[in-house]
């Protein structure tokens, strides 16, 4: 009798430990998703303009799932200590719902990472950067967001265009409709600027003389943070889900 | 180092007369963005006309631009009395019918060519670039100024082949003393439409939906089993 008693106690202890881990993972997931939602790199306007910012939706869902996991882990611990079947059943059902949400979030994040190709941002940049008065307010809002984000990107990361400054020469763009090729083969933010924000040598920049213009593309600066965000939300979430499934499937057996 | 090579080449070319030489595109290592959609940067004619220059006389170099087109009526840049034609951009239908005079400038000094290595210096870069290159298509304002009657150097057409020629003119007589050959055909860039850019999206939604439904089925089975367990007990 004592042996099974001990066995049950050990098993309960393991379940409580499992729930503690789930609770802590929930807190970590919330923290991670809050970090991503706060957009430390200022890239949200680019995602917004693709009209497919589901990666942010996935991060938002992650915040709430994290809280839910914390609450459920406490419920689970209480249920295991009291050995109450109803409580445990409620725990499993709620865990299932949370599981479904987190699954959706992970899959969204993982699949939308593949959506963010260089060509997507190239097309968006050419169509929206410095776009003159657009049709409706929504269009205008997105164009302004894209313009501000690109200006900031080019200044902070010393880069130009998605693949390089040649993007502006290879394709027509909204920028080209306003600014002539003779004066602006590429935007002036692509030139190396002095402390006042003026090109150090405009002729050199226009001719493409090395040292007077930025020859790197900005794609690495965009995709780096976004990929980390997508993978962070997706894989951390999957890891938690695996742990949750293994813990939950053990609970009914007790 | 490449600057020294260019200077050496210019010096060697100076030993020949201009009649065998052609205007060249600026050094591609130096000016990487050349030609652009609407501009072409040519090397100035260093040492090309030296055999035709006399001391104590002043000369000007005229640059002529012409579209390489089957419908060109003539490629002459002088009239019957060997004076340079003053045809402008507008008169020649943007270089389609005849060459037009895009610019004139002083004869570059063969004895002291620009040191291209100086381009690295921010202070000297502008001076060196102006001495070494001439940018055709640089000035669009003359097109919009209704009073403008002079020589115009407006932007070229994209995706079009042009040819260029330098002509040496004696200022006092106003006569053409020497001219280069027409340059090799130089084509301006072509711009593609952004709509043609392919933003391919991998659609995993069907597959993930299927996987999600399988997962749900397994979990539901576990629940049902556990409820069945508690019932039998």
């Amino acid at each position: 009798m004592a042996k099974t008693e001990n066995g049950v106690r050990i098993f309960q202890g393991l379940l409580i430990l499992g729930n503690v881990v789930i609770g802590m993972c929930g807190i970590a997931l919330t923290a991670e998703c809050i970090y991503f939602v706060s957009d430390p790199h200022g890239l949200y306007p680019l995602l917004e303009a693709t009209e497919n910012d589901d990666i942010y939706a996935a991060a938002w869902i992650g915040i709430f799932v994290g809280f839910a996991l914390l609450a459920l882990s406490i419920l689970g611990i209480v249920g295991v200590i009291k050995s109450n079947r109803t409580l445990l059943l409620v725990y499993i059902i709620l865990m299932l719902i949370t599981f479904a949400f987190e699954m959706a979030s992970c899959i969204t994040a993982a699949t939308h990472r593949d959506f963010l190709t260089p060509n997507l941002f190239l097309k968006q940049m050419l169509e929206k950067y410095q776009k003159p008065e657009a049709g409706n307010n929504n269009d205008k809002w997105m164009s302004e967001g894209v313009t501000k984000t690109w200006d900031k990107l080019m200044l902070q990361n010393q880069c130009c265009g998605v693949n390089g400054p040649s993007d502006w020469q290879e394709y027509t763009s909204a920028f080209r409709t306003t600014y002539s090729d003779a004066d602006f083969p590429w935007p002036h933010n692509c030139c190396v600027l002095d402390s006042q924000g003026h090109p150090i040598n405009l002729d050199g920049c226009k001719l493409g003389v090395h040292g007077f213009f930025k020859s790197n593309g900005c794609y690495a600066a965009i995709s780096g943070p976004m990929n980390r965000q997508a993978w962070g939300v997706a894989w951390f979430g999957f890891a938690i889900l695996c742990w949750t499934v293994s813990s939950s499937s053990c609970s009914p057996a007790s | 180092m490449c600057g020294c090579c260019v200077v050496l080449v210019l010096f060697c070319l100076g030993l020949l007369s201009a009649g065998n030489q052609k205007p060249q595109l600026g050094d591609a290592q130096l000016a990487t963005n050349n030609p652009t959609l609407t501009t072409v940067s040519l090397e100035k004619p260093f040492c090309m006309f030296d055999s035709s220059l006399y001391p104590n006389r002043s000369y000007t170099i005229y640059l002529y631009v012409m579209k390489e087109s089957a419908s060109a009526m003539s490629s002459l840049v002088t009239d019957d009395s060997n004076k340079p034609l003053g045809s402008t951009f507008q008169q020649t239908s943007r270089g389609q019918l005849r060459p037009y005079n895009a610019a004139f400038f002083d004869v570059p000094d063969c004895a002291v060519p620009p040191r291209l290595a100086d381009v690295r210096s921010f202070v000297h870069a502008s001076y060196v670039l102006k001495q070494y290159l001439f940018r055709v298509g640089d000035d669009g304002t003359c097109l919009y100024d209704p009073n403008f009657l002079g020589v115009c150097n407006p932007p070229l057409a994209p995706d079009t082949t042009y040819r260029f020629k330098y002509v040496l003119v004696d200022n006092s007589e106003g006569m053409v003393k020497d001219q280069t050959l027409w340059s090799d055909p130089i084509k301006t860039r072509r711009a593609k439409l952004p709509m043609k850019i392919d933003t391919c999206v991998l659609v995993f939604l069907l597959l993930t939906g299927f996987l999600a439904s399988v997962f749900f089925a397994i979990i539901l089975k576990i629940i049902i089993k556990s409820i069945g367990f508690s019932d039998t007990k």
Side-chain angles (χ1 to χ4, degrees):
Chain A
M1 199 61 173
K3 251 194 178 167
T4 48
E5 268 282 322
N6 273 340
V8 167
R9 285 252 179 270
I10 290 169
F11 197 67
Q12 280 184 328
L14 282 172
L15 279 176
I16 289 171
L17 184 68
N19 277 305
V20 165
V21 173
I22 288 174
M24 291 199 298
C25 287
I27 296 171
L29 184 67
T30 304
E32 186 198 29
C33 291
I34 288 176
Y35 174 72
F36 288 136
V37 165
S38 70
D39 193 22
H41 298 275
L43 295 172
Y44 182 67
L46 293 185
L47 271 186
E48 197 184 16
T50 63
E51 290 175 357
N52 199 332
D53 54 358
D54 287 349
I55 283 191
Y56 272 82
W60 276 108
I61 292 173
I63 293 175
F64 294 111
V65 164
F67 273 127
L69 284 175
L70 178 65
L72 279 175
S73 67
I74 295 169
L75 181 72
I77 290 169
V78 167
V80 166
I81 290 170
K82 294 219 170 131
S83 295
N84 186 335
R85 286 216 184 273
T86 326
L87 213 56
L88 283 173
L89 262 173
V90 167
Y91 167 81
I92 285 174
I93 291 169
L94 287 178
M95 199 52 115
L96 221 98
I97 295 170
T98 311
F99 186 97
F101 274 104
E102 181 59 14
M103 181 75 117
S105 160
C106 295
I107 291 170
T108 307
T111 55
H112 278 83
R113 189 191 151 272
D114 293 322
F115 176 68
L116 302 174
T117 56
N119 276 352
L120 178 75
F121 291 112
L122 175 64
K123 196 166 171 181
Q124 183 193 79
M125 179 186 80
L126 293 168
E127 288 177 351
K128 293 197 161 67
Y129 180 78
Q130 299 270 17
K131 189 172 177 180
E133 284 307 303
N136 53 49
N137 274 335
N138 190 36
D139 220 14
K140 190 161 165 247
W141 169 261
M142 286 203 289
S143 300
E144 276 172 19
V146 169
T147 304
K148 279 205 192 94
T149 308
W150 269 104
D151 284 337
K152 194 164 66 80
L153 262 175
M154 291 197 279
L155 282 172
Q156 284 180 351
N157 297 293
Q158 303 300 316
C159 60
C160 177
V162 173
N163 303 308
S166 55
D167 288 342
W168 297 104
Q169 287 285 308
E170 279 177 28
Y171 295 95
T172 60
S173 52
F175 175 78
R176 186 60 62 226
T177 59
T178 322
Y179 297 93
S180 73
D181 170 67
D183 293 324
F184 293 86
W186 35 61
H188 277 181
N189 278 335
C190 288
C191 300
V192 175
L193 303 172
D194 61 20
S195 48
Q196 272 93 38
H198 302 299
I200 52 174
N201 190 310
L202 193 55
D203 289 328
C205 179
K206 286 195 229 173
L207 285 169
V209 179
H210 287 297
F212 297 111
F213 76 115
K214 298 164 189 169
S215 47
N216 302 324
C218 296
Y219 182 64
I222 299 170
S223 69
M226 279 193 192
N227 277 344
R228 280 195 293 277
Q229 172 174 326
W231 284 129
V233 170
W235 291 114
F236 189 54
F238 271 129
I240 293 173
L241 287 177
C242 291
W243 183 263
T244 312
V245 165
S246 52
S247 315
S248 307
S249 53
C250 287
S251 322
S254 73
Chain B
M1 204 177 81
C2 69
C4 295
C5 298
V6 172
V7 167
L8 198 61
V9 165
L10 289 174
F11 180 69
C12 293
L13 286 175
L15 301 174
L16 311 165
S17 84
N20 300 339
Q21 297 177 65
K22 306 174 181 177
Q24 302 287 336
L25 266 182
D27 181 20
Q29 299 251 341
L30 176 73
T32 57
N33 187 29
N34 186 27
T36 69
L37 289 167
T38 59
T39 67
V40 172
S41 291
L42 299 169
E43 279 182 2
K44 283 193 176 172
F46 281 91
C47 311
M48 280 190 193
F49 297 115
D50 266 21
S51 50
S52 314
L53 293 175
Y54 286 98
N56 300 329
R57 299 190 82 115
S58 67
Y59 297 88
T60 304
I61 292 190
Y62 282 39
L63 168 65
Y64 284 88
V65 181
M66 182 175 82
K67 269 192 200 175
E68 191 184 56
S69 147
S71 62
M73 286 165 34
S74 149
S75 67
L76 288 174
V77 296
T78 56
D79 59 15
D80 297 329
S81 57
N82 210 28
K83 291 220 165 94
L85 287 174
S87 34
T88 63
F89 180 80
Q90 285 94 334
Q91 288 169 351
T92 62
S93 193
R94 297 165 178 257
Q96 179 101 5
L97 305 171
R98 286 188 309 277
Y100 68 93
N101 182 11
F104 46 79
F105 45 84
D106 294 330
V107 181
D109 190 351
C110 183
V112 189
R115 291 182 342 156
L116 297 184
D118 279 350
V119 154
R120 300 266 177 268
S121 144
F122 300 156
V123 173
H124 296 117
S126 278
Y127 175 76
V128 170
L129 289 171
K130 280 210 161 33
Q131 290 293 99
Y132 173 57
L133 292 173
F134 181 78
R135 200 161 179 243
V136 185
D138 207 14
D139 179 19
T141 54
C142 56
L143 281 178
Y144 309 116
D145 183 354
N147 292 331
F148 195 88
L149 297 168
V151 162
C152 196
N153 181 21
L156 305 170
D159 197 26
T160 311
T161 313
Y162 286 90
R163 300 184 79 159
F164 307 91
K165 180 192 268 261
Y166 287 121
V167 171
L168 183 73
V169 175
D170 183 313
N171 289 341
S172 43
E173 293 169 26
M175 308 253 288
V176 170
K177 292 296 174 193
D178 201 357
Q179 50 182 285
T180 62
L181 294 171
W182 282 102
S183 71
D184 290 330
I186 295 172
K187 196 165 187 185
T188 48
R189 288 184 88 139
R190 187 173 74 95
K192 296 180 270 196
L193 290 172
M195 285 182 283
K196 299 272 177 71
I197 299 173
D198 178 29
T199 57
C200 178
V201 174
L202 295 165
V203 180
F204 280 132
L205 288 173
L206 279 173
L207 182 64
T208 51
F210 175 68
L211 283 173
S213 57
V214 166
F215 236 127
F216 273 119
I218 295 172
I219 301 286
L220 260 163
K221 248 193 162 177
I222 294 173
I223 293 180
I224 291 166
K225 257 196 180 167
S226 73
I227 294 173
F229 243 127
S230 58
D231 279 349
T232 48
K233 279 196 181 171

